[in-house]
């Protein structure tokens, strides 16, 4: 069963997330959203939550640099997107409150171009979410077999 539900991506409306249920396995894909109660309710007890995330500290710094460089348009866009995307910690709070089995970050802003950026990106996540999490990359493969509680994460490169 595939279900669509509303998420908070104001001023873009409507914005949706998706829930997939197959046999005894389930997953939710957040879509673009700020932290959302409806998303949390839809993710209740799922095996896997695939959640977008934006590092607000890095994006705010990028906006400041754009402003200082005289690029007002880019600075405005970067400042605005802070309002309608979840941070990694907010996504982890949703996962914890919903009792999610595994959290996978996707649609990561800004792109994590070097390994140290990933450590900054997930800072504080393990303080609010006690389950496993993965920072997705192009080629991340997730396996969830029916009849098993295991979730396999593999990097195809």
């Amino acid at each position: 069963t595939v279900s669509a539900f509303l998420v908070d991506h104001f001023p873009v409306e409507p914005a949706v997330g998706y829930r997939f249920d197959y046999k005894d396995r389930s997953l939710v894909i957040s879509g673009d959203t700020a932290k959302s109660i409806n998303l949390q309710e839809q993710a209740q007890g799922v095996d896997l939550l695939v959640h977008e995330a934006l590092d607000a500290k890095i994006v705010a710094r990028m906006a400041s640099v754009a402003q200082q460089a005289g690029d007002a348009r880019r600075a405005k866009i970067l400042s605005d997107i802070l309002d309608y995307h979840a941070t990694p910690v907010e996504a982890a709070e949703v996962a914890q409150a919903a009792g999610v089995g595994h959290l996978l970050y996707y649609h990561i802003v800004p792109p994590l171009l070097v390994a140290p950026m990933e450590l900054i990106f997930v800072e504080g996540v393990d303080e609010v979410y006690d389950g496993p999490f993965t920072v997705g990359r192009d080629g991340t493969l997730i396996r969830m077999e029916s009849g098993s509680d295991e979730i396999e994460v593999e990097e195809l490169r």
Side-chain angles (χ1 to χ4, degrees):
T1 303
V2 178
S3 309
F5 55 90
L6 293 174
V7 295
D8 179 11
H9 193 43
F10 185 82
V12 178
E13 291 181 312
V16 297
Y18 298 94
R19 180 176 172 130
F20 298 81
D21 292 281
Y22 179 73
K23 295 185 179 180
D24 59 338
R25 303 311 298 259
S26 57
L27 71 95
V28 163
I29 301 175
S30 70
D32 278 4
T33 186
K35 186 175 177 185
S36 165
I37 292 295
N38 196 40
L39 171 63
Q40 179 180 313
E41 290 171 356
Q42 294 296 322
Q44 199 65 42
V46 298
D47 298 300
L48 176 66
L49 173 59
V50 182
H51 204 300
E52 63 93 41
L54 173 144
D55 189 307
K57 296 179 300 264
I58 295 173
V59 172
R61 179 73 180 126
M62 291 168 64
S64 174
V65 168
Q67 188 69 42
Q68 291 170 11
D71 191 345
R73 181 177 174 273
R74 183 178 310 269
K76 172 91 168 101
I77 291 168
L78 289 167
S79 294
D80 287 350
I81 65 174
L82 295 171
D83 294 335
Y84 46 85
H85 291 277
T87 68
V89 169
E90 289 170 333
E93 290 169 345
V94 169
Q96 183 68 28
V100 167
H102 192 105
L103 172 61
L104 170 68
Y105 291 105
Y106 85 112
H107 187 46
I108 295 167
V109 176
L112 306 176
L113 303 175
V114 293
M117 288 181 74
E118 186 174 313
L119 296 174
I120 295 167
F121 182 79
V122 298
E123 200 170 76
V125 167
D126 56 359
E127 295 171 19
V128 298
Y129 178 59
D130 57 15
F133 63 89
T134 301
V135 176
R137 295 174 189 79
D138 289 347
T140 298
L141 176 67
I142 304 290
R143 285 190 184 92
M144 301 187 331
E145 293 185 23
S146 180
S148 170
D149 289 338
E150 289 185 39
I151 295 178
E152 296 178 42
V153 179
E154 184 180 345
E155 296 294 327
L156 301 177
R157 290 191 179 201

